[in-house]
């Protein structure tokens, strides 16, 4: 065995394909030497480019060794890599021709030689049949072995072994060694580059995992956690789409899809994906399917085909996710008879590429593993009984620690005192209402007959006396009835006169009427006189209706209807329809309040109270007018209507009449808006302030609770 000297000569300066002059042979052909050097330089350039390429080690070693064997015009070669402390054949060229493993002794010698080369950390040349002792490292073949280790960062990675023909001199062997050492340097460059790439990829992967874990565990809300898992999981796995399906009892429901803010669970694609996830969850095993694979379990085949036909996905992976078991593994069911119900499944999809790479598989499993922990924590947290209450109590614990404790005790004492004051301190209880101020003596003027207003002689604000004409009406129907009655009256009178003349002529001796005719004429005259009386009575009624066409004031007052002429003139009206309003502003005034019906019970209770001397009387009314917002006036309830009616936006209200002292009021205007407070006795401050809330709770909550 011999080791290589320092490489101080250029590549190929001592490399020759035949005997050199120093070896006693004829000088080589210069053209042939130049051509071979060019070929060697091209091969070296290719190896250099391979060292910079990002390709798998198996592909690099195959291309590297074939080019080195060609450049050295060797019989063959082999690359032995370190795998778990042992050397394993990675790639070989014509290993069988070397006959290194013909006998167990030869195998042992060759193995020792490889280990010695790896341990010595330097390139060596081993002549044929060298080191034939038992248990010693040696070359059991008839070929010259040139070996060099691949060492990266002082860690042996592999051994390159070249099978060369024997017979070359020392100079030729040194050339072999120098060339192989230079090629091994390029192979080491490839290993270093690959290691750097793997470190960069690992760093990127860990950064992505850290980002994914932070996003998945950021919230304990199931919905927020689900969307974080699918969106960040798609970036980590590097696939086109990630979907999360969760189990709710026996139902499997799609909870989140990457890139979508909401899901239409009635869509056919979503339903079929949920069916596929449910089928995989029943098996409890991860399922991977690509367009190139044809076989799938029979219980999954039907839902898989239904979904793929609709989604056109090239690769589908469904990974069940399980809660953490006692053994600490989140993503696998517990061993033994104990059955762990899955949380759901996470689905990875590729829509364009059907290749199932090792990177995708590894990253998908990482996503599933961390998703299981995040979802388990989120569902456990969301399932806590009275969770909002415990959260509030947890946030409030800071008030019971350290310097905050005295402040908390003081605040609690003040709060207890405030609650006690609300329950024990009495105050006036008042019911608020809205209404209008108006004269107590007011009357609506109604139409007593159907007709059309032809004249309105009064205006808004006019003072009228009793009997004053307020409006005049015309009625075409009444005129037609009158004309018809007058015609019937005339006809009847003429017929009666004719019958009287005939009877008179016959009595004077005419003798032309028989006794029967006389009796008939007498009977007809009786009927005509009766009809004439009926017509007179109908005419009297018509005359009365004609008088009703003139609308007069039955009592003195002031016209308070606004723009009465514009409102009534030319307007057809019906009997009983209100035409205008008369009010007496010189008489007493009153306040009409519209109290919500839910407050009537307080007014009825106040009616039963016994007034006490020196105290405010029950149902005393304090009110203010919209025309005088700074002044407050008082009145007294005199009547409460017994029926509720819907009045405008106030809803169901009860009319309450309030008597007021006119002398205490400013100049009055009819229908002035007022806001009033009706005194209903004394009650606690809490009930007076929160009466609306208490009554709402009684009506909307306590009423529906089971007794």
């Amino acid at each position: 065995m011999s080791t290589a000297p320092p490489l101080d000569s250029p590549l190929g300066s001592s490399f020759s394909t035949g005997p050199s002059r120093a070896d006693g042979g004829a000088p080589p052909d210069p053209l042939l030497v130049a051509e071979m050097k060019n070929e060697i330089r091209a091969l070296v350039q290719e190896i250099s480019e391979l060292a910079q390429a990002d390709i798998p080690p198996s592909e690099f070693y195959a291309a590297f060794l074939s080019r080195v064997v060609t450049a050295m015009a060797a019989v063959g070669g082999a690359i032995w890599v370190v795998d778990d402390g042992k050397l394993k054949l990675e790639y070989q060229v014509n290993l069988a021709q070397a006959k290194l493993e013909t006998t167990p002794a030869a195998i042992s010698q060759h193995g020792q030689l490889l280990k010695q080369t790896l341990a010595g950390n330097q390139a060596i040349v081993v002549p044929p049949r060298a080191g034939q002792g038992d248990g010693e490292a040696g070359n059991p073949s008839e070929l010259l072995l040139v070996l060099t280790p691949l060492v990266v960062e002082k860690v042996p990675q592999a051994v390159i072994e070249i099978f060369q023909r024997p017979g070359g001199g020392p100079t030729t062997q040194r050339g072999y060694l120098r060339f192989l050492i230079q090629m091994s340097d390029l192979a080491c460059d490839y290993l270093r580059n690959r290691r750097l790439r793997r470190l960069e990829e690992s760093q990127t992967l860990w950064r992505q995992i850290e980002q994914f874990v932070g996003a998945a565990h950021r919230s304990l809300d199931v919905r927020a956690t689900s969307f974080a898992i699918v969106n960040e999981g798609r970036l980590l796995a590097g696939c086109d789409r990630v979907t999360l399906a969760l189990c709710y009892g026996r139902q499997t429901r799609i909870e989140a899809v990457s890139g979508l803010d909401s899901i239409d669970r009635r869509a056919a694609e979503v339903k079929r994906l949920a069916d596929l996830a449910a089928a995989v969850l029943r098996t409890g095993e991860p399922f991977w399917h690509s367009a190139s694979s044809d076989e799938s379990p029979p219980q999954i085949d039907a839902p898989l085909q239904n979904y793929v036909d609709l989604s056109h996905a090239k690769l589908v992976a469904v990974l069940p996710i399980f809660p953490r078991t006692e053994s600490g593994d989140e993503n696998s069911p517990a061993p033994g008879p104990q059955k762990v119900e899955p949380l759901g499944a996470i689905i990875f999809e590729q829509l364009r590429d059907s290749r199932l790479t090792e990177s995708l598989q590894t990253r998908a499993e990482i996503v599933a593993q961390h998703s299981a922990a995040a979802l388990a924590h989120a569902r456990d947290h969301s399932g806590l009984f009275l969770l909002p209450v415990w959260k509030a109590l947890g946030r409030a614990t800071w008030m019971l620690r350290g310097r905050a404790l005295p402040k908390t005790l003081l605040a609690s004492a003040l709060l207890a005192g405030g609650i006690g004051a609300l329950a024990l301190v009495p105050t006036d209880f008042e019911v608020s209402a809205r209404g209008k101020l108006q004269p107590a003596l007011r009357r609506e003027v109604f139409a007593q007959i159907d007709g059309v207003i032809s004249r309105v002689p009064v205006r808004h604000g006019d003072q009228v006396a009793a009997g004053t004409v307020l409006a005049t009406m015309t009625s075409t129907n009444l005129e037609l009835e009158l004309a018809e009655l007058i015609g019937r009256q005339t006809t009847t009178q003429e017929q009666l006169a004719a019958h009287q003349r005939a009877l008179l002529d016959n009595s004077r001796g005419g003798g032309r009427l028989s006794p029967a005719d006389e009796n008939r004429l007498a009977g007809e005259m009786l009927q005509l006189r009766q009809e004439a009386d009926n017509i007179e009575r109908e005419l009297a009624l018509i005359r009365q209706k004609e008088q009703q066409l003139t609308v007069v004031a039955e009592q003195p007052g002031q016209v308070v209807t606004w723009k009465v002429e514009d409102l009534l003139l030319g307007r057809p009206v019906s009997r009983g329809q209100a035409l205008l309003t008369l009010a007496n502003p010189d008489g007493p005034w009153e306040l009409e309040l519209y109290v919500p019906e839910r407050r009537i019970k307080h007014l009825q209770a106040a009616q039963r109270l016994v007034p006490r001397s020196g105290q405010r009387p029950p149902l005393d009314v304090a009110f203010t007018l919209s025309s005088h917002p700074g002044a407050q006036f008082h009145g007294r309830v005199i009547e409460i209507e017994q029926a509720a009616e819907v009045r405008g936006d106030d809803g169901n209200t009860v009319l309450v009449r309030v008597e007021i002292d006119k002398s205490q009021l400013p100049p009055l205007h009819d229908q002035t808006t007022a806001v009033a407070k009706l005194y209903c006795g004394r009650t606690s401050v809490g009930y007076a302030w929160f009466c609306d809330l208490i009554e709402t709770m009684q009506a909307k909550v306590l009423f529906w609770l089971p007794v």
Side-chain angles (χ1 to χ4, degrees), residues 341-546:
E341 295 296 332
L343 295 172
I346 187 165
I347 302 106
F348 301 87
E349 295 179 76
Q350 289 279 40
L351 304 180
R352 294 179 298 273
D353 190 0
S354 62
R355 292 178 301 172
L356 178 57
T357 62
E358 181 182 355
S359 175
L360 174 60
Q361 190 169 1
T362 302
R363 289 170 178 251
E365 292 173 353
I366 292 174
V367 171
Q369 180 181 0
H370 289 285
S371 299
L375 283 173
H377 296 158
R379 296 192 71 166
D380 290 345
H381 179 267
S382 300
L384 292 177
F385 179 67
L386 296 178
L387 177 61
V389 176
W390 304 129
K391 284 185 175 180
L393 292 176
R395 288 192 294 266
T397 54
W398 65 270
M399 296 186 296
L400 303 176
R401 294 192 296 264
R403 297 180 179 179
L405 181 59
K407 299 178 181 178
T408 302
L409 295 177
L410 177 60
S412 301
L414 293 176
L415 180 61
I419 295 175
L422 290 176
L424 301 177
V425 175
T427 188
D428 292 344
F429 179 68
E430 298 174 321
V431 172
S432 61
R434 294 180 179 273
K436 294 181 179 180
L437 184 66
Q438 60 187 12
L441 302 176
R442 57 189 297 117
R443 182 179 179 83
E444 298 287 342
V445 179
F446 301 95
Q448 298 181 356
I449 191 172
D450 297 344
V452 178
I453 305 296
S454 60
R455 189 172 69 91
V456 182
V458 295
R459 301 291 182 272
H460 174 263
D462 289 352
Q463 292 284 347
V464 297
T468 302
V469 176
L470 301 177
T472 303
M473 302 169 56
T474 60
S475 175
T476 304
N477 293 334
L478 192 61
E479 292 175 357
L480 291 175
E481 290 180 9
L482 181 60
E484 182 182 357
L485 286 175
I486 292 174
R488 286 172 56 196
Q489 186 183 41
T490 302
T491 301
T492 302
Q493 290 176 353
E494 290 177 353
Q495 290 177 353
L496 185 61
H499 284 42
Q500 288 176 347
R501 284 193 303 270
L503 290 175
L504 183 61
D505 291 343
N506 186 57
S507 65
R508 290 178 180 178
R512 291 177 294 181
L513 295 176
S514 63
D517 291 335
E518 288 182 2
N519 292 333
R520 178 179 59 78
L521 290 176
E524 290 180 356
M525 288 180 63
L526 183 61
Q527 291 179 356
L528 290 173
R529 288 191 185 97
Q530 185 66 36
E531 184 177 357
D533 292 341
N534 292 337
I535 292 174
E536 286 293 338
R537 286 192 292 270
E538 290 182 13
L539 284 174
L541 293 175
I542 294 296
R543 300 300 180 187
Q544 291 179 3
K545 289 184 178 181
E546 282 185 331

Side-chain angles (χ1 to χ4, degrees), residues 658-669:
V658 178
E659 182 183 37
I660 60 175
D661 186 357
K662 177 183 174 182
S663 62
Q664 297 179 357
L665 299 179
L668 304 177
H669 295 276

Side-chain angles (χ1 to χ4, degrees), residues 686-705:
Y687 188 83
W689 287 0
F690 304 108
C691 177
D692 290 339
L693 177 60
I694 294 172
E695 292 180 352
T696 301
M697 291 291 294
Q698 291 173 343
K700 299 298 179 67
V701 179
L702 299 180
F703 175 77
W704 298 103
L705 293 178

Side-chain angles (χ1 to χ4, degrees), residues 302-322:
L304 173 65
Q305 294 303 323
N306 291 337
Y307 176 67
V308 171
D309 291 343
L310 194 61
S311 66
H312 305 291
K314 301 296 183 182
L315 185 143
V316 179
V318 183
L319 277 66
I321 47 180
F322 293 88

